[in-house]
Amino acid sequence: MEPREDREGRSFVEVINEKYSPENFPYRRGPGMGVVVVPTAGLQGSPMKDRLNLPSVLVLNCCGISKAGDQAEIAAFCAHVMELDLSHNNLQDWQEISKIASSIPNLEFLNLSSNPLAGTILEPQCAEAFSRVRRLVLNNTQISWDTVMLLTQNIPKLEELFLCLNEYSSVSASSVACPTLRLLHITDNSLHNWAEVGKFGSMFPSLDTLIMANNNLASIQDNKDILARLFPNLRRINLNNSGLNRWEDIEKLNFFPKLDEVRLQGIPLLQAYTKAERRNLMIAQLPSVSNLNGSVVTDSEREDAERFFIRHYLDCPEKELPFIYHSLVTKYGKLEPLAEIDLRPRCRAQVEVHCEEKVEQLCIRLDQTVAELKKQLTTVVQLSTNSMRLYYIDKDSAFGPEELKYNNRALHSYSIQDGDEILVVPKTK
């Protein structure tokens, strides 16, 4: 039979008593350590008050916590705590969670990720316990959207909200906005329809950063006026691994008035292009974006990208040209295609081989050495390598033949061209 404690789960108080006892978490001094010894004066009835050393950041993940324990004990030892990580526990009762939160008066960060909260009911009076939280993490909790809305309505200074891996395919708009929220991290859900994303604008009017990668969003459907009205303060957006497949959707990102950082990797639209082409085309399409996929866009890079963009669409029918094409042509003119110049070193040359009265056309490798050329010529001039001397004659040079006397020297160092001559002179005995 399992111990009674394992069947019922562990309490928050039990875990902090165990983890932060002097034996497991010795008192340390020094700036930035954040370790506090709670003084005896003013605290009554706590057998732990002279024993625990708690930092202002409590990390209690994976501890099997399912309940709060004595609230008086929590209040006595967590008055200074500002950040609390309760992820990967077994908390499935909002009343127990609210007991913990309400007993920590300075709590600003709370992580409840990977606790089994699906189907749990949060009562309005319990929601008030989270009123001081500024950053709330609810990843992989399967928490209902109605519960999310109840929390945002009761947290007046909420700035950051994390809702990843919760299987949201739709959201309901709230009649009460959360004007303080700046960051919404809602990756790895199932938000395919832009109409759902648009609701975030009315709910969170001060939204600065929207991270919604891995949602397979199909398109951006709103027009310029609606996007500007819904997201007047949005500066950063992450649409990595979305389903965007039209350049029109990329152009619509220009309708967010303050947008200057964009992440757009892994979208179907860009799969056919090389890495360099993707970046150039994206930079040219987004003239106000200063940071693309985590890299700063420099002035010189933007100019190169915009010139590339013009040339990329030179042969495109007028009706298919992107909206920004004509403004870039006005800026730079209608550029001609870049000349294709092969800067690779020549690897072969067609030369004339002269030996006494005999003349042969021969294709020679320029990466071989003089010694290797002599070996190639043995079958042409019927001489052994030790019985010949080679001379190179540049057809465009006024100078005479140059002897190829160094057997280990590569032929390309002589700048041999098509039409030049190789003169083979038999050695005299």
Side-chain angles (χ1 to χ4, degrees):
M1 178 179 288
E2 294 181 77
R4 184 164 180 257
E5 179 185 288
D6 291 340
R7 294 199 314 271
E8 297 181 358
R10 307 174 73 198
S11 73
F12 179 85
V13 172
E14 289 169 353
V15 170
I16 62 172
N17 185 30
E18 175 186 304
K19 181 171 183 177
Y20 294 103
S21 66
E23 293 80 11
N24 296 328
F25 198 93
Y27 178 54
R28 296 172 291 176
R29 296 181 182 274
M33 300 306 293
V35 179
V36 177
V37 174
V38 180
T40 301
L43 298 176
Q44 302 296 325
S46 172
M48 299 186 295
K49 62 179 178 293
D50 294 321
R51 297 194 289 113
L52 295 188
N53 305 323
L54 268 67
S56 60
V57 177
L58 294 186
V59 180
L60 301 175
N61 61 315
C62 305
C63 292
I65 299 172
S66 63
K67 54 190 175 182
D70 191 326
Q71 286 185 262
E73 298 286 4
I74 300 173
F77 289 96
C78 297
H80 61 289
V81 170
M82 301 180 69
E83 299 188 12
L84 177 59
D85 182 354
L86 291 173
S87 61
H88 296 274
N89 280 289
N90 195 35
L91 291 162
Q92 47 191 319
D93 185 337
W94 279 107
Q95 187 171 3
E96 294 300 315
I97 299 171
S98 66
K99 287 178 182 178
I100 297 172
S102 62
S103 302
I104 307 177
N106 293 303
L107 187 64
E108 295 186 353
F109 171 84
L110 177 61
N111 185 357
L112 295 172
S113 296
S114 298
N115 280 280
L117 294 172
T120 58
I121 303 299
L122 173 63
E123 299 296 337
Q125 62 269 25
C126 291
E128 297 174 1
F130 305 94
S131 61
R132 293 170 297 277
V133 172
R134 293 177 181 267
R135 293 176 292 149
L136 180 60
V137 186
L138 298 167
N139 297 335
N140 193 32
T141 56
Q142 312 304 309
I143 180 177
S144 72
W145 189 256
D146 287 341
T147 301
V148 172
M149 290 295 91
L150 181 57
L151 284 167
T152 59
Q153 293 167 15
N154 283 275
I155 307 179
K157 295 183 180 180
L158 185 64
E159 298 176 1
E160 299 179 4
L161 181 59
F162 296 77
L163 298 170
C164 309
L165 295 162
N166 283 330
E167 300 182 9
Y168 299 132
S169 58
S170 64
V171 299
S172 57
S174 172
S175 58
V176 180
C178 179
T180 57
L181 194 78
R182 296 182 298 102
L183 181 149
L184 177 61
H185 202 304
I186 193 164
T187 64
D188 294 280
N189 282 281
S190 301
L191 297 169
H192 307 319
N193 194 326
W194 179 262
E196 306 303 320
V197 180
K199 296 173 186 176
F200 298 148
S202 58
M203 287 187 281
F204 312 121
S206 298
L207 196 64
D208 171 273
T209 303
L210 176 58
I211 304 174
M212 50 177 304
N214 305 328
N215 272 281
N216 201 29
L217 181 71
S219 64
I220 300 175
Q221 296 159 342
D222 290 329
N223 61 33
K224 180 178 181 179
D225 293 339
I226 293 176
L227 291 173
R229 175 172 55 80
L230 288 177
F231 298 96
N233 297 298
L234 193 69
R235 292 186 56 246
R236 305 178 186 89
I237 193 167
N238 184 332
L239 296 172
N240 285 350
N241 301 315
S242 61
L244 299 182
N245 200 26
R246 304 181 308 156
W247 282 112
E248 291 89 336
D249 294 317
I250 308 305
E251 290 176 349
K252 286 186 177 182
L253 294 176
N254 294 308
F255 301 156
F256 296 87
K258 295 184 180 180
L259 191 68
D260 65 1
E261 293 187 26
V262 172
R263 289 181 183 265
L264 270 170
Q265 295 177 308
I267 64 174
L269 174 65
L270 302 177
Q271 288 179 355
Y273 301 99
T274 67
K275 184 177 180 180
E277 288 172 340
R278 292 171 192 169
R279 187 165 177 84
N280 281 330
L281 293 172
M282 293 295 296
I283 289 173
Q285 288 271 20
L286 301 170
S288 298
V289 169
S290 62
N291 190 301
L292 177 63
N293 294 330
S295 298
V296 173
V297 179
T298 63
D299 291 341
S300 61
E301 184 183 21
R302 178 166 297 284
E303 180 175 345
D304 290 344
E306 291 173 343
R307 289 178 177 274
F308 172 86
F309 188 89
I310 294 173
R311 293 188 172 99
H312 180 78
Y313 285 98
L314 275 179
D315 299 324
C316 185
E318 178 71 24
K319 63 180 180 180
E320 297 179 14
L321 288 172
F323 176 79
I324 202 169
Y325 175 82
H326 292 292
S327 63
L328 292 179
V329 170
T330 301
K331 183 177 180 180
Y332 296 105
K334 195 166 185 179
L335 306 176
E336 294 297 324
L338 292 174
E340 294 187 10
I341 301 174
D342 190 352
L343 298 178
R344 294 173 297 178
R346 292 176 57 84
C347 58
R348 294 182 181 274
Q350 192 73 25
V351 299
E352 284 187 354
V353 178
H354 294 254
C355 183
E356 297 180 323
E357 301 300 323
K358 187 176 183 180
V359 178
E360 291 276 351
Q361 295 290 330
L362 188 65
C363 182
I364 62 173
R365 288 182 17 248
L366 300 179
D367 61 346
Q368 65 183 336
T369 63
V370 171
E372 290 170 328
L373 176 61
K374 286 181 178 180
K375 187 174 181 180
Q376 181 183 358
L377 292 174
T378 56
T379 58
V380 177
V381 300
Q382 305 302 314
L383 293 171
S384 68
T385 58
N386 294 327
S387 301
M388 67 175 76
R389 299 176 72 177
L390 300 186
Y391 295 85
Y392 162 55
I393 301 174
D394 185 346
K395 64 179 180 178
D396 296 322
S397 174
F399 299 99
E402 178 181 358
E403 183 174 3
L404 307 181
K405 61 174 67 175
Y406 302 107
N407 282 333
N408 292 324
R409 183 172 173 179
L411 295 182
H412 64 71
S413 66
Y414 292 95
S415 301
I416 298 174
Q417 302 292 320
D418 290 339
D420 290 344
E421 298 178 11
I422 300 294
L423 178 60
V424 182
V425 178
K427 287 184 179 179
T428 58
K429 296 183 179 179

